[in-house]
Amino acid sequence: MIPLKNNSRHILTLLVIGAFCLIPLSMSVCVAEESTSLSTTPFANVEIKDLRYDEVYGTGMVEGGSEVSIKVVLTNISKELDESTFGFQSELVGAIGSIGGEGLEEKALQSGSSYTLNHKKVVDEVVIIWSGEAPEVGKQETFTFLNVTQETTEGEYSVINVTKEVSSRVIYDVIIAVDNANKEIEKANEAIADAEEAGLNVADANKSLALAKEYLNNSQQLYNEGRSEEALVEAEKALDSAKEAEAKAGSAVGGRTLRNYAIIAVVVVIAIVAVVLLLQQRQRKRGVY
């Protein structure tokens, strides 16, 4: 067995090693509104036969500047009326169209046009063709692609109203980036709150979080001004800063946890050594070597 005198030296050595282990540990402390309203008029059945436009990432939103075409067919035209007047409105750029059908004289249309339909002359159906260009936009906006009304002696009715969200790939990227930044900021807030509750220093994390909020505010302001490309840059900065804030808060908590584990480990080692020495002392007293 190891002599008691030597054991005392081992205990002292373990205590010194444990103290040095604690020193470095104690110092190292991130879609679209649209509507297509069909007829409320009782004098015809209305159906959209074709509606074409370029989509933004397949979201259903219309790519600004893309060509739009619409085909509307009216059937079962009421013969109870002699005639009715159709009105056409559109916010498409360069909107033009036509209306006609078997037994009818075809007429060219544009936004603000009207057309008087002789119901008695309709053989089968009335066809409306409409086209134009979706407006270029700096932020996501809703536009009326085609609104058709029907005025009769009974009153005015809606025939069809097509409204769509117009956007762009950059605008969509801004919206997604802002949403992701908001979620990451929320996560960073929670991480910082946990670290503060544990009594840790989160000054660096709070600085990164404040910067993230500033970038996000800049992004939203630029977006509202229609400066989508600049807004995207700021939104991406906000996302990165929010992730950085969360990481800094998590690092502080992790450092405290690691330090606590190290303290426990050293205490356990010392306790084990003390028990071993105590047992050796008892055995020595009993004359067991």
Side-chain angles (χ1 to χ4, degrees), residues 51-78:
L51 175 54
R52 299 185 183 184
Y53 51 83
D54 293 339
E55 292 188 6
V56 177
Y57 293 134
T59 59
M61 292 185 292
V62 182
E63 180 82 35
S66 66
E67 291 296 321
V68 177
S69 64
I70 306 171
K71 180 180 179 180
V72 181
V73 176
L74 283 63
T75 56
N76 295 329
I77 305 297
S78 174

Side-chain angles (χ1 to χ4, degrees), residues 189-203 205-206 249 252-253:
N189 274 322
E190 292 176 359
I192 289 173
D194 290 341
E196 287 178 334
E197 188 175 344
L200 301 175
N201 186 347
V202 290
N206 275 321
V253 174

Side-chain angles (χ1 to χ4, degrees), residues 260-271:
N260 290 341
Y261 283 148
I263 293 172
I264 292 171
V266 171
V267 171
V268 168
V269 170
I270 294 173

